[in-house]
Amino acid sequence: MKILSAAAAAALLALTAAPAMAQQSTPVEEQIGAGGRPVGANWSRSPVYAENGMAATAHPLATQIALKVLREGGNAVDAAIAANAALGLMEPTGNGIGGDLFAIIYDPKTNQLYGLNASGRSPAGQTLEQLLEKLDGATALPAVGPLPVTIPGTVDGWFEMHERFGKMPMADVLAPTVEYAREGHPVAPVIGMYLDRSLRAYERRLETTSFEFDNARATYFANGAPKAGDIFKNPDLADTLETIGRDGREAFYQGDLARVMVDYLQRQGSAFTLEDFANHESEWVDPACASYRDGFELCELPPNSQGFAALQMVNILKNVDLRQWERGSPEVIHYITEAKRLAYADVARFYADPAFSALPEELLTEEYGKERFALIDPENATPEFGPGEPKLEGEGDTTYLTVTDNDGMMVSLIQSNYRGMGGGLVPDGLGFMFQDRGELFSLDPEHPNAYEPGKRPFHTIIPAFVKKDGGPFMTLGLMGGGMQPQGHVQILINMVDYGMNIQEAGDAARINHDGGRQPTEALTGPAADPLGTLNVEPGLAAETVEALRAMGHDVRVVSNGIMFGGYQAIMRDPETGVYAGGTEMRKDGQASGY
């Protein structure tokens, strides 16, 4: 071994230390920009192409599990369930079997779209008056503890899809996740950041709110928040999934698992009973579609989800040709923002569990879209939009995934625990957290979304599907609370109006308008934030940002990507059958095929 002189060693130390010191003073992303590409936008990367099957999820290992199931003879539904189970383990900040699920499935045998609403309900034996008594004067449901918990719908959703379309035994579908839960997997970087963020949020709430967090701490944070590269294990979840795979949905909703959950919830002060779990069921629903232009149609699920908000935006925006301006122009951003605000004024007024409140059918007509479009001032942001008067005919964290197979089946699936990782409650020894979706109920008894016994709350999570010339074309989803409908529309605009490929459409800078009247607010009285905030990513030019401010928008430039959602999509060439996949640069995910 050669020994350096003291002088040489000092010089070498200076050379090696200099870059580190420079990085400490200036973040590396500000020291150097993106490289070039031989084709496509410099800020994007290539879509993934494959012929036999494809998966796009928020974690590379979940994508690999989906492809493994496809290669072993499963179809797209089997693979989607397998990937979703894996994400509940690997991305617990976004989803898990304590939450709800929605899906759109294209079945090539019948050439039809099937929608599944697998969302849970409130306790059947608890009235609004009883809930208000427990809230002790609070004006909204809390984000943690037993009161915002609704029945977890995901497991029932898995079995509904599997019984109708699946091929492999459920035990085999869940087996890869059972193995990873026992043996461990390395934590991904963005998920590690969200785990740290979640732990800090729970600890802040514990300073002012009393709720059981010991189980969650032992399950997820025994040594603090896991960091990128740390091996994370969840043997309790492995046992739970193994039981579900062996004994079926009854184990979760009627058997030993149900008894553990109900006993735990009741100890926390919840009104849930075994009958509530035993009576839970998912619902098959009909997706609705709105035509945009050039033969493209966007398809979404009905309430209690917010999917129809995206269709309302499409029906508003089809009245102006955005292609007359550049994609990053203030005019395009202004119209998208005002269309979102108009649609969400209706969301806040009308969207709720349809079993309790009928949705005005006129909301999705082109005529109504024209009426709402006429309210947009092309030069200025309108200070406040109210809901329309259609005629009656009768921080949320989420994961989205999509899988397609060699028969042409296409699955668009979204799943969530809602805010953060959920409400902080982990039932004894089961390895998952309950969702806090009930936080989205209104406490105004006159509101369609008011809390009632056995009711599903307003839901933010929405899968999407795109048709071209009447045939199946693309699955897509863009997770992230109120970002989702406006994100779906931005992807559509990027591809249809501006010719972006499936990867560029997701990588391009987004906007996220936040605020306006909310589905949790009272029907009467002023909105808490009528104008709202227009959050934009740094990819928008400074001149555009200033022009939007001059138009009256409250614009905020946000650079960390957190509030702009997580995108996955798969497109099928109608002539060759070749799949193209895109995934989200703001997450850890991967699109891959074979």
Side-chain angles (χ1 to χ4, degrees):
M1 177 182 295
K2 184 176 180 180
I3 305 297
L4 295 176
S5 68
L12 180 60
L13 178 61
L15 286 171
T16 56
M21 293 172 64
Q23 289 177 15
Q24 290 172 4
S25 60
T26 305
V28 68
E29 62 269 19
E30 297 179 16
Q31 298 174 32
I32 189 167
R37 280 177 51 81
V39 295
N42 285 347
W43 39 259
S44 188
R45 61 191 185 280
S46 297
V48 176
Y49 289 90
E51 186 176 6
N52 296 304
M54 184 165 286
T57 83
H59 197 295
L61 296 180
T63 297
Q64 292 173 30
I65 285 172
L67 295 179
K68 179 177 185 292
V69 169
L70 291 178
R71 287 179 174 274
E72 292 178 352
N75 64 15
V77 163
D78 298 318
I81 295 169
N84 188 195
L87 290 164
L89 166 70
M90 299 170 181
E91 191 192 17
T93 51
N95 71 124
I97 59 173
D100 286 343
L101 177 154
F102 290 80
I104 297 176
I105 300 169
Y106 171 72
D107 177 26
K109 293 181 180 178
T110 59
N111 192 29
Q112 290 185 4
L113 290 182
Y114 296 85
L116 181 65
N117 178 338
S119 62
R121 297 165 175 82
S122 60
Q126 179 174 267
T127 65
L128 175 58
E129 291 73 22
Q130 291 169 325
L131 175 62
L132 290 172
E133 185 175 342
K134 292 180 178 180
L135 288 171
D136 194 26
T139 58
L141 278 152
V144 293
L147 297 184
V149 173
T150 48
I151 295 285
T154 293
V155 172
D156 190 69
W158 287 352
F159 280 91
E160 282 290 332
M161 292 191 298
H162 188 262
E163 287 177 5
R164 191 163 194 166
F165 298 108
K167 294 170 61 177
M168 293 179 68
M170 186 64 87
D172 294 344
V173 170
L174 300 180
T177 301
V178 171
E179 181 177 356
Y180 270 117
R182 289 217 171 94
E183 301 299 324
H185 75 280
V187 173
V190 174
I191 294 169
M193 180 274 296
Y194 275 110
L195 283 165
D196 178 68
R197 195 165 175 255
S198 294
L199 177 58
R200 287 186 284 112
Y202 287 126
E203 289 179 335
R204 285 194 301 270
R205 293 187 185 279
L206 284 167
E207 294 175 0
T208 57
T209 307
S210 176
F211 63 99
E212 195 283 309
F213 193 66
D214 290 344
N215 285 0
R217 193 181 297 277
T219 301
Y220 299 108
F221 309 111
N223 298 303
K227 299 177 177 60
D230 288 351
I231 300 299
F232 177 76
K233 300 179 181 181
N234 191 340
D236 288 344
L237 182 61
D239 292 341
T240 298
L241 292 176
E242 196 167 53
T243 300
I244 293 169
R246 181 184 64 242
D247 299 334
R249 82 173 81 192
E250 289 74 16
F252 193 83
Y253 294 98
Q254 299 178 34
D256 290 340
L257 299 179
R259 284 186 281 274
V260 171
M261 286 187 281
V262 170
D263 178 68
Y264 172 80
L265 287 171
Q266 289 182 351
R267 294 201 316 270
Q268 312 312 315
S270 172
F272 276 116
T273 66
L274 282 170
E275 288 73 23
D276 288 325
F277 276 72
N279 292 334
H280 172 75
E281 59 183 5
S282 302
E283 180 184 5
W284 290 99
V285 296
D286 294 324
C289 305
S291 62
Y292 185 52
R293 50 176 138 258
D294 299 337
F296 288 93
E297 298 175 73
L298 180 64
C299 303
E300 304 274 357
L301 296 183
N304 53 317
S305 88
Q306 63 176 339
F308 282 6
L311 304 187
Q312 287 191 247
M313 288 183 66
V314 165
N315 281 335
I316 293 169
L317 289 170
K318 70 174 62 173
N319 293 286
V320 59
D321 187 355
L322 298 177
R323 291 172 290 190
Q324 64 187 290
W325 302 290
E326 293 183 355
R327 177 62 180 88
S329 68
E331 291 87 355
V332 170
I333 305 303
H334 173 69
Y335 274 110
I336 294 173
T337 301
E338 297 295 89
K340 180 270 179 181
R341 295 179 62 214
L342 283 162
Y344 270 64
D346 286 339
V347 169
R349 172 61 182 85
F350 299 110
Y351 285 42
D353 187 341
F356 290 77
S357 179
L359 185 75
E361 293 182 7
E362 190 182 357
L363 283 177
L364 297 188
T365 65
E366 294 190 352
E367 291 75 15
Y368 185 71
K370 289 179 182 178
E371 291 177 16
R372 301 296 275 169
F373 174 77
L375 299 176
I376 297 177
D377 181 340
E379 303 292 334
N380 298 288
T382 300
E384 181 173 9
F385 285 121
E389 298 181 357
K391 298 176 183 178
L392 273 170
E393 306 294 335
E395 214 140 266
D397 293 314
T398 303
T399 200
Y400 173 82
L401 65 94
T402 175
V403 183
T404 58
D405 64 28
N406 59 5
D407 292 325
M409 179 175 282
M410 306 174 75
V411 178
S412 179
L413 186 151
I414 197 159
Q415 208 259 297
S416 175
N417 283 6
Y418 186 50
R419 187 188 298 277
M421 295 176 65
L425 303 186
V426 172
D428 302 327
L430 298 189
F432 65 86
M433 187 178 290
F434 284 115
Q435 65 185 350
D436 48 4
R437 184 64 61 174
E439 185 188 354
L440 285 177
F441 277 121
S442 171
L443 298 180
D444 177 359
E446 301 302 317
H447 199 292
N449 185 45
Y451 176 91
E452 294 184 59
K455 185 176 182 177
R456 297 172 296 190
F458 168 76
H459 240 285
T460 57
I461 62 174
I462 51 174
F465 195 92
V466 175
K467 293 181 180 180
K468 177 72 166 72
D469 300 326
F473 181 70
M474 184 170 76
T475 56
L476 80 147
L478 201 148
M479 54 199 101
M483 178 69 218
Q484 295 178 56
Q486 50 188 315
H488 291 184
V489 173
Q490 289 174 60
I491 297 297
L492 189 70
I493 288 170
N494 288 348
M495 296 182 72
V496 176
D497 290 332
Y498 294 95
M500 296 185 195
N501 66 42
I502 195 169
Q503 183 64 49
E504 292 169 343
D507 286 343
R510 295 183 196 136
I511 65 169
N512 179 356
H513 179 270
D514 187 33
R517 189 173 291 277
Q518 301 298 311
T520 54
E521 292 181 334
L523 284 178
T524 58
D529 183 19
L531 177 64
T533 302
L534 177 55
N535 301 286
V536 304
E537 292 194 286
L540 283 188
E543 294 82 1
T544 293
V545 171
E546 291 309 312
L548 289 165
R549 287 173 175 154
M551 298 170 86
H553 293 284
D554 181 9
V555 185
R556 183 174 66 143
V557 180
V558 182
S559 61
N560 61 19
I562 289 176
M563 66 187 311
F564 298 95
Y567 162 78
Q568 317 286 343
I570 299 175
M571 181 177 67
R572 188 173 190 267
D573 188 303
E575 295 183 2
T576 66
V578 171
Y579 292 116
T583 192
E584 177 57 78
M585 71 170 185
R586 300 163 187 84
K587 298 280 187 179
D588 297 307
Q590 180 186 60
S592 187
Y594 74 103

